[in-house]
Amino acid sequence: VSVSGSRRYLALCGGVGGAKLAQGLAQVLAPEELTIAVNVGDDFTHLGLPICPDLDTVLYTLAGLAHAEQGWGRGDESWAVHAELGRLGGPDWFALGDRDIALHLRRRQLLDEGLSLSAVMRELAARLGVAHAIVPISDAPVRTCVVTDVGRLAFQDYFVARRAEPVVRAVEFDGAAQAELAPGVQAALADPDLAGVILCPSNPYLSIAPMLAVPGLRPALTACEVPVIAVSPIVGGQAIKGPAAKIMRELGVEPQANVIAELYRDFVDRVLVDTRDAALVAKDARCLVAPTVMRTAADRQVLAAACLSLIEQLSGCAPPGP
Ligand code: FO1
């Protein structure tokens, strides 16, 4: 039952930067006001374990368990299994901490019992004290593959094993065409109280594109009657973290904040860009300037509040169009 006047928001989020804004939104919105839809393109099975990096980064961040500097995995972690695995000749290129392994083991057990990935994430979030909804963009497997100068690579091979050094020619999403939006995402998009959609500052090619590749999402965002805004992950021509700028250059795209408005032009109403890029976007009516670099928890909340007030402003003004 929706209380009249209640406003709900959908956030689309990928890696580390996305998780920070998701946390800010979770601090300013009640659980029933926010759905956080997360990329699953980084996911893979490693040592028989279902690894879900972006889902776990958001989960750990909202649970206050994330390793602050590293951006992935847990802060309070030990590496006994990883070290012994290496000694036994196992693959140690992908670092799995002991407590992180417990979460993967539990996720595998629940998946083997027939739970959907959405249901598994609900259970894990509840166990870690996270009340906000962290939902995979799809319960079906979508796997990001990076076509590079050294071949077509699985995401973690490209990103971790090869440290994102290969030159990117294209990014593809295996399984996306057969995937369905997760029920929680479909519900959020269909919710009559949906007040706005926020694309968190995530890599357009490695985090947002795998979500947009799931049938139904792009058309839903394009048809969206409420504001859809994005926070640029590019500041001053650089990505705050990760290879976004490098990939943009390799794909022949200028790694600048205003390009984000181009990439999402068919469904985004406004792009928030950092104050450092104010001059760059001075003439671009699609862009608005705000501090977008999140160093502290307060920064996350301030940016989250800025997103909500921008949505408010855009809702108040005349309906879009001539
Ligand atoms: N990223 C790394 O650069 N090196 C790692 O050894 C590594 C291990 C790892 C383990 C669990 C997990 O959930 C994420 C992990 N990541 C690691 C990050 C992962 O590559 C993500 O896909 C990126 O953070 C991009 O979102």
Side-chain angles (χ1 to χ4, degrees), residues 167-254:
V167 175
V168 175
R169 302 260 188 271
V171 186
E172 297 171 351
F173 312 110
D174 291 355
Q178 295 74 30
E180 253 198 1
L181 289 170
V185 179
Q186 294 187 36
L189 287 166
D191 189 327
D193 291 326
L194 181 68
V197 180
I198 298 138
L199 273 69
C200 297
S202 302
N203 186 314
Y205 301 91
L206 301 184
S207 297
I208 302 294
M211 293 194 270
L212 295 173
V214 179
L217 181 56
R218 207 168 190 130
L221 294 176
T222 304
C224 205
E225 307 265 308
V226 297
V228 178
I229 68 170
V231 177
S232 172
I234 302 291
V235 176
Q238 301 289 327
I240 297 294
K241 186 177 174 62
K246 174 177 180 285
I247 292 171
M248 289 172 91
R249 274 193 297 278
E250 290 165 353
L251 293 176
V253 175
E254 180 71 13

Side-chain angles (χ1 to χ4, degrees), residues 110-149:
L110 293 172
L111 289 169
D112 288 352
E113 285 170 13
L115 269 68
S116 67
L117 184 56
S118 293
V120 170
M121 292 315 295
R122 250 195 316 274
E123 169 65 13
L124 294 175
R127 294 282 176 179
L128 293 181
V130 173
H132 288 82
I134 300 172
V135 185
I137 196 68
S138 174
D139 286 331
V142 176
R143 296 288 173 265
T144 299
C145 285
V146 188
V147 181
T148 76
D149 57 336

